[in-house]
Amino acid sequence: MGKINFTVAVIGAGAMGGAIASGLVTSGAADASHVMACNPSPQKLVPLDEKGVATFAEASQMLGQDPDVVVVAVKPQVLPAVVGEVSEQLAGRTVISIAAGVSLATLEGLLPKSRVVRAMPNLPVQVLSGATAVCPGTTASEEDVSRAVELFSALGVAKVMREDQLDAEGAVVGCGPAYVALFADALVRAGVERGLPAADCREMVLATMRGVCAQLLESREHPRAYMEKVTSPGGTTAAGLRAMEPELVQSAYAATDAALARTRELANA
């Protein structure tokens, strides 16, 4: 993939916004001169300053630089106030919102003169291994969608989805990093309680998880086929899977349903 040839401005350089701005430069997808970010907290901007990203205290100052694409990376509850202050400056631009639970209809109501795209990234974008769902609004062009996909592909994987799929994507992929971390912690605790050194066990479990994910991504093999490679008939892995699978699968379904229910509650609040 070549260099991004459009300028990107990030409103809200917090954990996710800062990761997006930083990741575009770190990945080599964009020159620092093509990325800018704003945040009222000077401390949040220091790591970006060090990468050569142009930083600003206020969104209005940054938008005066005439960026092509604007990523709004603020909390859902403050998004209306934040974009309301600069709605005229956002007119005619591609605006990508990463605010969970804020619908395209709401965004387009707040920004009637902008071309809006929703994106749902997860935390591993911070290490360029994230997953992002991209959903275009009613006036977004093919170029707008292409730019959004190009931007988030630099931070991992990006897929275009319908808006009615975004809540499920958030419940599975958005929440997924916490679930994976919980599973890693559970394996480590099981190992430690059976005599393994805690630090060594943790490092080995995490290295194993990283290796499995790398192999599955590279080979595009179905997880079931991969499991068969590790599992000998009547062996230890078969016994472990027999004990684990029913409850693990049920827990995955229950966690997804609980996250979806909470998503709907927040959307209706």
Side-chain angles (χ1 to χ4, degrees):
M1 184 172 64
K3 292 272 191 181
I4 286 174
N5 61 3
F6 51 89
T7 53
V8 180
V10 181
I11 298 177
M16 289 298 287
I20 291 168
S22 175
L24 289 173
V25 178
T26 302
S27 67
D31 293 327
S33 61
H34 279 61
V35 183
M36 58 192 85
C38 70
N39 197 286
S41 171
Q43 292 84 357
K44 296 287 179 67
L45 299 174
V46 171
L48 298 176
D49 288 327
E50 293 173 349
K51 289 184 178 292
V53 172
T55 60
F56 304 83
E58 297 181 6
S60 59
Q61 293 176 310
M62 180 176 67
L63 295 175
Q65 304 301 307
D66 198 27
D68 298 310
V69 175
V70 180
V71 178
V72 181
V74 299
K75 295 183 184 301
Q77 57 267 36
V78 302
L79 183 145
V82 170
V83 299
E85 292 177 358
V86 292
S87 59
E88 286 303 315
Q89 286 181 286
L90 292 172
R93 302 188 195 278
T94 307
V95 178
I96 303 173
S97 167
I98 66 168
V102 181
S103 68
L104 285 170
T106 298
L107 292 167
E108 291 179 336
L110 293 167
L111 299 166
K113 299 178 183 179
S114 303
R115 302 185 307 279
V116 176
V117 176
R118 278 187 71 186
M120 295 286 288
N122 64 4
L123 193 59
V125 297
Q126 293 181 341
V127 291
L128 309 183
S129 190
T132 304
V134 172
C135 178
T138 57
T139 61
S141 66
E142 288 186 12
E143 183 181 31
D144 296 326
V145 178
S146 176
R147 284 178 166 182
V149 170
E150 185 178 359
L151 190 161
F152 285 102
S153 292
L155 310 174
V157 175
K159 302 292 183 182
V160 179
M161 295 187 180
R162 303 188 311 268
E163 188 168 31
D164 64 303
Q165 296 172 319
L166 291 190
D167 285 348
E169 188 272 347
V172 174
V173 179
C175 300
Y179 304 157
V180 173
L182 174 63
F183 183 60
D185 182 58
L187 284 178
V188 172
R189 286 162 56 189
V192 170
E193 289 182 9
R194 284 147 185 83
L196 296 179
D200 292 346
C201 184
R202 183 180 301 110
E203 186 173 1
M204 294 178 77
V205 165
L206 294 176
T208 298
M209 294 179 75
R210 179 179 60 196
V212 171
C213 291
Q215 286 182 297
L216 287 172
L217 284 168
E218 182 177 336
S219 68
R220 298 190 176 277
E221 190 173 30
H222 193 284
R224 281 277 164 192
Y226 186 91
M227 288 163 59
E228 290 176 5
K229 289 182 178 180
V230 186
T231 308
S232 301
T236 57
T237 304
L241 287 173
R242 191 161 51 250
M244 177 185 291
E245 185 170 3
E247 291 190 14
L248 183 63
V249 172
Q250 182 58 40
S251 294
Y253 278 75
T256 302
D257 288 342
L260 277 170
R262 183 56 178 157
T263 299
R264 296 181 185 114
E265 289 174 3
L266 292 172
N268 294 327

